[in-house]
Amino acid sequence: MIALLIDAAVAMDEIFWIQAYGDRQQLLDDIEDPATEQFALINYGPWDRLAGNEPFLPGVGPKPAGSNFYPRDVTRAEMEREIASGGARADSLRSLYTLVRRDQAGRLTAIPYHVAFRRQNEWAAARLRQAAELADDRGLRRYLTLRADALQNDQYRASDLAWMDMKNNSIDVVIGPIETYEDALFGFKAANEAFVLIKDREWSGRLERYVAMLPFLQQALPVPAEFKRETPGTSSDLNAYDAVYYGGDANAGSKTIAINLPNDETVQLERGTRRLQIKNAVRAKFDRILLPIARELIAPDQLGDVTFDAFFENTMFHEVAHGLGIKNTVFDRGTVREALKERGGGLEEEKADVLGLFMIGQLTERGELPREELMDNYVTFLAGIFRTVRFGASSAHAQANMATFNFFREQGAFTRDAAGKYRVDLPQMQAAVALLSERILRLQGTGDYTGVGQFMGQYGTIAPPLQADLDRLSSRGIPVDIIFEQGPSILGL
Ligand code: ZN
């Protein structure tokens, strides 16, 4: 069954090449240097995805904003003119599931994916139907069958609902045209991808238990009662998986470690979403990136506290912690999201980091987590900050990370010695986590837009000693991301 699913995934890979670039074979034939060829395969084209899509082959020119979803010569103005009047033609031009091309008269025309990629989709659909026959789990069988139909008619909703309805399957596959980031021109077009996944039942069970404790953890938050009146939901669908194959968009450039789907708002309203954490991808980033960083920046006597389990726990508790705290301001300023506008996103990520640590502390107090491992979570968290801010604090998420770092340093949660090595102080760290939790929840609960600006201005920048430490990492050649060694199609597309 897994072999069949991988084979279906390979078809998505082939489709994505066309969406992102065009003729893969032609491009590879034109490249002589094997390293450059591998780099083109990693990037699904001649543009470096982790360096703002800079071209790395001579004469290629900049990457078209609309990738290969539109004719190369299309302009924003032309597309907007063509869809302005509405109607069926406009709908098909901006559909998630069509390519835009020119007809013989040079007029824009939409080609449905199931027509444009008929061969690949037929191949994938046949494999999904074969896999369905092997499925013991009824929900999985139903999903695979409906997904096969969707690949052949571009109607995905029924299969999205079926995906949300299946709960007990061990094998999973996310497959089809899904995210729209590859269309940087309009964000209309979905790019094909596939994840073949195996559920980690032990971790998923642990997560379920922690999510069930959210109401208790909410009450334990270190804020006055009015900031914790809301009751967090406990029906969150959050599971851990190991990936056995990434294809297409999912495999291009940086590797995602978490998925939150489906994107269809109608399905979201009816069934919610499912969050999937990919454990072996997290593991690879831990081994290849986080550990080497820790060896440079964490004091030798605390290096043993940097562990994979703590890293994965911190990632997981971050996700769970999004459900804690406050969604509506206490002084009638509407939702926190509305009140904090563009400053809210980074602060919410910081909240999830810090409340995640707070939850770990609480669960340790309750005997749910081993006391001797609490230090692992703290030291590993600190090492994780270095990983995130390594490329500057320009993004909201990196800025929020920096704010946590500087706040913790100010509170003495860790110290830096003359050799540029960092060391966590356990009691001070516990106190700092509680203090920062309160600070963030108050900013959110009062909808204090100005206060968030001041807070980020005061704490959200990289100070010179840290910059010197980060520069030291660059000189060590520590990788920026991972790639997967995964075999070609098993059955032979
Ligand atoms: Zn988050």
Side-chain angles (χ1 to χ4, degrees):
M1 190 172 169
I2 289 171
L4 287 163
L5 296 178
I6 290 175
D7 244 41
V10 170
M12 300 300 110
D13 205 68
E14 195 167 290
I15 292 173
F16 181 70
W17 258 101
I18 298 163
Q19 293 167 332
Y21 171 72
D23 191 337
R24 168 178 54 185
Q25 201 51 53
Q26 185 65 54
L27 177 68
L28 298 180
D29 288 350
D30 289 347
I31 301 173
E32 276 171 21
D33 171 45
T36 307
E37 184 178 278
Q38 204 201 353
F39 204 53
L41 287 169
I42 291 169
N43 285 288
Y44 289 71
W47 303 283
D48 185 349
R49 287 174 182 269
L50 294 187
N53 282 320
E54 233 169 81
F56 57 84
L57 286 179
V60 161
K63 181 173 182 180
S67 292
N68 195 32
F69 293 111
Y70 306 89
R72 284 269 171 129
D73 61 353
V74 82
T75 60
R76 231 171 197 291
E78 184 185 9
M79 266 297 281
E80 273 161 7
R81 207 165 50 239
E82 294 282 329
I83 60 181
S85 52
R89 180 160 175 276
D91 285 348
S92 66
L93 284 174
R94 76 177 152 220
S95 162
L96 279 167
Y97 309 126
T98 62
L99 289 180
V100 176
R101 292 294 181 258
R102 290 194 188 281
D103 64 17
Q104 302 230 302
R107 203 161 173 246
L108 294 180
T109 178
I111 307 171
Y113 283 177
H114 72 276
V115 176
F117 309 119
R118 184 186 304 279
R119 188 178 60 87
Q120 295 89 344
N121 281 319
E122 273 177 6
W123 166 279
R127 297 304 174 279
L128 294 187
R129 291 192 184 100
Q130 280 178 275
E133 282 171 31
L134 299 173
D136 292 327
D137 183 75
R138 275 182 50 202
L140 177 59
R141 197 181 318 140
R142 186 156 170 276
Y143 164 63
L144 291 172
T145 308
L146 289 170
R147 203 64 173 180
D149 296 346
L151 289 173
Q152 292 189 278
N153 63 19
D154 294 327
Q155 309 280 324
Y156 284 90
R157 185 163 297 160
S159 62
D160 278 348
L161 288 165
W163 185 66
M164 285 306 296
D165 287 340
M166 61 178 194
K167 302 283 181 207
N168 301 315
N169 52 307
S170 292
I171 297 179
D172 204 338
V173 61
V174 171
I175 187 165
I178 295 174
E179 303 291 353
T180 56
Y181 305 109
E182 187 69 15
D183 174 7
L185 188 59
F186 286 105
F188 290 156
K189 305 299 173 190
N192 279 70
E193 67 180 344
F195 297 86
V196 181
L197 304 164
I198 298 172
K199 195 182 277 175
D200 183 318
R201 293 204 171 268
E202 194 209 319
W203 267 101
S204 296
R206 283 162 77 172
L207 277 168
E208 201 177 342
R209 211 170 79 229
Y210 301 141
V211 169
M213 289 176 196
L214 279 174
F216 147 75
L217 291 161
Q218 174 85 352
Q219 285 317 306
L221 291 176
V223 279
E226 67 259 38
F227 290 96
K228 49 185 177 185
R229 271 197 303 249
E230 294 171 20
T231 310
T234 53
S235 60
S236 171
D237 190 341
L238 175 63
N239 288 287
Y241 298 79
D242 281 321
V244 290
Y245 200 88
Y246 277 39
D249 196 18
N251 195 44
S254 70
K255 301 294 179 281
T256 187
I257 54 173
I259 315 171
N260 191 356
L261 287 173
N263 289 332
D264 183 338
E265 284 93 356
T266 307
V267 181
Q268 290 183 2
L269 284 174
E270 282 183 36
R271 301 286 204 281
T273 63
R274 172 170 291 150
R275 284 178 293 169
L276 304 88
Q277 299 281 324
I278 305 178
K279 189 164 126 276
N280 57 346
V282 176
R283 170 117 228 167
K285 294 202 187 200
F286 175 83
D287 289 342
R288 305 299 175 105
I289 304 171
L290 192 78
L291 261 188
I293 287 174
R295 282 188 201 110
E296 283 299 324
L297 295 182
I298 299 294
D301 57 301
Q302 292 193 343
L303 203 49
D305 292 315
V306 180
T307 70
F308 169 71
D309 274 11
F311 187 52
F312 195 57
E313 263 170 24
N314 290 350
T315 313
M316 294 297 227
F317 280 105
H318 171 105
E319 290 300 326
V320 178
H322 275 302
L324 275 183
I326 190 159
K327 303 265 184 280
N328 297 291
T329 57
V330 292
F331 304 132
D332 280 345
R333 285 191 194 163
T335 65
V336 173
R337 185 191 292 268
E338 286 159 358
L340 298 184
K341 299 191 270 268
E342 83 286 354
R343 291 176 182 165
L347 191 70
E348 173 62 22
E349 290 311 317
E350 184 175 8
K351 179 204 92 173
D353 276 348
V354 178
L355 291 196
L357 289 179
F358 180 78
M359 288 173 72
I360 291 169
Q362 288 294 313
L363 292 170
T364 304
E365 294 298 316
R366 286 192 107 198
E368 288 284 342
L369 292 169
R371 186 163 292 276
E372 63 277 13
E373 284 172 17
L374 181 60
M375 193 63 165
D376 294 2
N377 293 96
Y378 290 150
V379 180
T380 305
F381 180 84
L382 181 60
I385 289 184
F386 298 129
R387 183 181 81 98
T388 315
V389 299
R390 212 176 140 199
F391 305 104
S394 55
S395 80
H397 199 160
Q399 198 188 34
N401 254 280
M402 216 51 264
T404 305
F405 178 88
N406 286 322
F407 188 94
F408 281 178
R409 194 193 45 186
E410 183 190 81
Q411 296 298 321
F414 60 83
T415 52
R416 176 184 182 275
D417 67 20
K421 303 272 189 187
Y422 293 77
R423 182 180 278 102
V424 169
D425 179 303
L426 186 73
Q428 299 279 88
M429 176 61 101
Q430 283 176 303
V433 167
L435 210 56
L436 185 52
S437 297
E438 185 191 1
R439 185 78 171 262
I440 294 169
L441 288 169
R442 276 183 184 276
L443 285 169
Q444 290 191 321
T446 54
D448 189 355
Y449 180 80
T450 311
V452 177
Q454 284 165 350
F455 177 78
M456 289 298 174
Q458 185 183 351
Y459 291 103
T461 53
I462 298 179
L466 174 62
Q467 190 56 56
D469 297 332
L470 296 175
D471 292 345
R472 222 161 74 221
L473 294 179
S474 311
S475 67
R476 296 291 192 271
I478 296 169
V480 296
D481 215 306
I482 53 172
I483 56 168
F484 299 130
E485 287 171 9
Q486 42 188 17
S489 171
I490 293 167
L491 308 175
L493 179 63

